[in-house]
Amino acid sequence: MTSDTDHNGPGYLRSYGRRQGKKLRPGRERLVTELLPQIAVLPGTPVRDLFDADIKSLWMEIGFGGGEHLSAQAQAHPEVGIIGCEPFINGVAKLLSEIDEHDLQNVRIHADDARDMFPDVADGALERVFILFPDPWPKAKHHKRRLIQTPLLNELARMLEDGGEFRFASDHMGYVRWVLAFVLKHPDFEWLAEGPDDWRQPPEGWTTTRYEQKALAGDKMVYLRFRRIPRG
Ligand SMILES: C[S@@+](CC[C@H](N)C(=O)[O-])C[C@H]1O[C@@H](n2cnc3c(N)ncnc32)[C@H](O)[C@@H]1O
């Protein structure tokens, strides 16, 4: 049972659904007990120190679900350190199995609410942040739980380097309008739409996520890229 108070962050409401689904298979259970502690984000450790010295830049994916996109990006960009945040343990276990199978050295996991670890991310430390198909919380009385609101954007703006990118995708048009309204009025971001059809095309290097796969048969997909405007 989750509640508003099961998150310790600074006044944040819970933005995710369940933390656990079906019981984990023994192999995945073992990865959670043995591999996760080796690559877990340690509270109080500056994120740059979590990675080897040859890592050139840092990306973060918030709410990676089953980790399909994160794993593909980590394989395609071994020079990038990717921090994945996800409180749903079955999704974490799935990403761990990818990390194990492909021997990925450049992924670190925070198996909890992403917002808990923002204090460990220095100003301008991230080159890219992904939030893909976040929980849309469609009922009006739940909109306050939506992850993307001004406090989160303030944190993204702080953590992103000048010219860094925030990438978002959703099939929920109400949430797309919501995000555009919040981001376009934010002084630190600009929308990188290059043409009228830009937001219908996935950005380069895209891998279909599990949620997107389920949604593909139904509604439209929207992919938005925002740039962190260089500090003055
Ligand atoms: C609809 S799912 C999409 C998952 C994945 N991005 C995909 O496209 O398949 C949204 C995910 O965001 C996660 N989430 C929600 N709030 C979060 C938060 N504050 N920090 C990290 N993850 C969060 C949820 O647990 C859930 O797995």
Side-chain angles (χ1 to χ4, degrees):
M1 180 79 177
T2 47
S3 73
D4 279 359
T5 53
D6 67 356
H7 179 263
N8 302 322
Y12 290 129
L13 288 178
R14 181 175 56 82
S15 58
Y16 49 85
R18 6 174 240 169
R19 275 181 176 272
Q20 171 114 42
K22 280 193 277 186
K23 186 171 161 36
L24 298 177
R25 300 201 287 268
R28 293 208 174 164
E29 188 77 61
R30 183 184 55 76
L31 289 170
V32 170
T33 13
E34 292 175 14
L35 179 56
L36 181 58
Q38 296 174 40
I39 58 167
V41 169
L42 302 170
T45 305
V47 286
R48 187 64 192 80
D49 297 351
L50 299 168
F51 293 93
D52 294 342
D54 55 353
I55 287 295
K56 296 198 172 48
S57 46
L58 300 183
W59 296 357
M60 177 184 280
E61 183 165 340
I62 299 177
F64 59 71
E68 298 82 9
H69 174 269
L70 196 157
S71 169
Q73 294 284 9
Q75 290 173 59
H77 302 279
E79 76 291 358
V80 175
I82 310 189
I83 303 153
C85 306
E86 175 57 66
F88 184 55
I89 198 68
N90 301 63
V92 171
K94 179 151 186 302
L95 176 60
L96 287 170
S97 68
E98 285 279 309
I99 292 170
D100 191 41
E101 182 182 337
H102 300 286
D103 193 24
L104 299 176
Q105 301 295 319
N106 56 336
V107 179
R108 299 294 178 269
I109 296 181
H110 175 60
D112 212 322
D113 193 310
R115 298 168 293 191
D116 293 341
M117 59 160 301
F118 290 170
D120 296 326
V121 184
D123 296 1
L126 304 179
E127 185 184 58
R128 208 172 272 188
V129 175
F130 302 92
I131 304 183
L132 310 175
F133 303 96
D135 299 291
W137 294 106
K139 291 184 187 157
K141 67 177 181 182
H142 290 146
H143 285 178
K144 60 188 178 196
R145 296 190 176 283
R146 287 178 169 171
L147 190 55
I148 301 170
Q149 312 204 26
T150 303
L152 184 106
L153 292 174
N154 290 341
E155 281 296 293
L156 296 192
R158 182 188 68 73
M159 296 188 295
L160 277 167
E161 65 183 33
D162 289 354
E165 266 189 43
F166 162 40
R167 294 189 177 182
F168 164 87
S170 182
D171 63 329
H172 189 280
M173 294 310 127
Y175 203 2
V176 170
R177 282 192 293 274
W178 167 283
V179 166
L180 276 172
F182 273 99
V183 185
L184 294 180
K185 74 175 181 210
H186 198 287
D188 297 331
F189 288 100
E190 63 182 353
W191 186 12
L192 287 173
E194 279 156 19
D197 209 30
D198 183 84
W199 49 276
R200 290 231 173 277
Q201 306 303 328
E204 50 65 42
W206 180 261
T207 295
T208 303
T209 72
R210 184 171 11 179
Y211 182 89
E212 183 184 21
Q213 198 85 53
K214 281 195 215 155
L216 272 175
D219 226 333
K220 311 177 222 41
M221 302 292 153
V222 171
Y223 308 89
L224 304 176
R225 289 166 57 221
F226 302 101
R227 176 172 171 264
R228 204 290 177 209
I229 295 170
R231 292 154 175 87

